[in-house]
């Protein structure tokens, strides 16, 4: 199986290894970046989550941030929420951090740890491997 070609984007910066670092722009030409936001919930967070769930959902619906993916992290049996994950498309890290800190869950103290990490979507929204992307 050969290497898949890097799909075109408006800007294609190169890492020291020679691999492309993808950076795209919005329709107005402003830089866009993906960030993974991983929020680890406090042990006694079920009550906080329940009390602020509707405000959290309203925040997500009203946010100007381009939210690519979101959902709760759960235990293996998928019964108990243990945190939240978001992938956001924003101009910079500050915008991703502002989005995370503005969430009613965060304001209510639901999360003991929030990690914001730059994320590169090398698949550009397409299957990378497996039956449809081999």
């Amino acid at each position: 199986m050969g290497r898949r070609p890097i799909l075109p984007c408006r800007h294609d910066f190169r890492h020291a290894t020679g691999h492309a670092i993808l950076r795209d722009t919005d329709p107005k030409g402003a830089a866009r970046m993906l960030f993974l936001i991983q929020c680890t919930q406090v042990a006694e967070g079920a009550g906080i989550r329940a009390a602020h769930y509707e405000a959290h959902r309203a925040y997500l619906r009203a946010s100007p941030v381009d939210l690519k993916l979101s959902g709760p992290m759960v235990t293996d049996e998928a019964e108990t929420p243990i945190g939240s994950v978001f992938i956001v498309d924003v101009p910079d890290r500050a915008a991703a951090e502002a989005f995370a800190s503005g969430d009613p869950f965060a304001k209510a103290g639901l999360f003991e740890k929030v990690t914001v990490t730059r994320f590169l979507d090398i698949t550009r929204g397409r299957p990378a491997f497996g039956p449809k992307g081999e």
Side-chain angles (χ1 to χ4, degrees), residues 83-130:
S84 296
V85 170
F86 307 93
I87 294 180
V88 296
D89 185 353
V90 292
D92 54 32
R93 173 177 294 280
E97 290 172 347
F99 170 80
S101 65
D103 186 338
F105 279 170
K107 289 181 175 183
L110 178 62
F111 305 127
E112 67 182 1
K113 182 178 180 184
V114 175
T115 305
V116 178
T117 308
R118 179 81 187 273
F119 177 79
L120 299 178
D121 179 8
I122 63 168
T123 66
R124 307 293 289 173
R126 299 179 185 162
F129 304 101

Side-chain angles (χ1 to χ4, degrees), residues 11-57:
H11 299 284
D12 192 15
F13 300 100
R14 296 278 166 182
H15 186 271
T17 62
H19 292 91
I21 297 174
L22 303 177
R23 182 180 180 124
D24 212 344
T25 56
D26 68 12
K28 295 180 181 176
R32 306 301 294 181
M33 297 180 215
L34 294 176
F35 284 89
L36 170 70
I37 303 169
Q38 184 174 357
C39 309
T40 305
Q41 184 170 308
V42 296
E44 60 283 343
I48 298 170
R49 184 177 282 274
H52 298 278
Y53 181 75
E54 290 305 321
H56 164 75
R57 296 291 297 165

Side-chain angles (χ1 to χ4, degrees), residues 54-74:
E54 290 305 321
H56 164 75
R57 296 291 297 165
Y59 176 75
L60 297 182
R61 283 191 298 272
S63 175
V65 166
D66 185 0
L67 187 59
K68 298 295 188 185
L69 178 142
S70 69
M73 296 187 305
V74 295

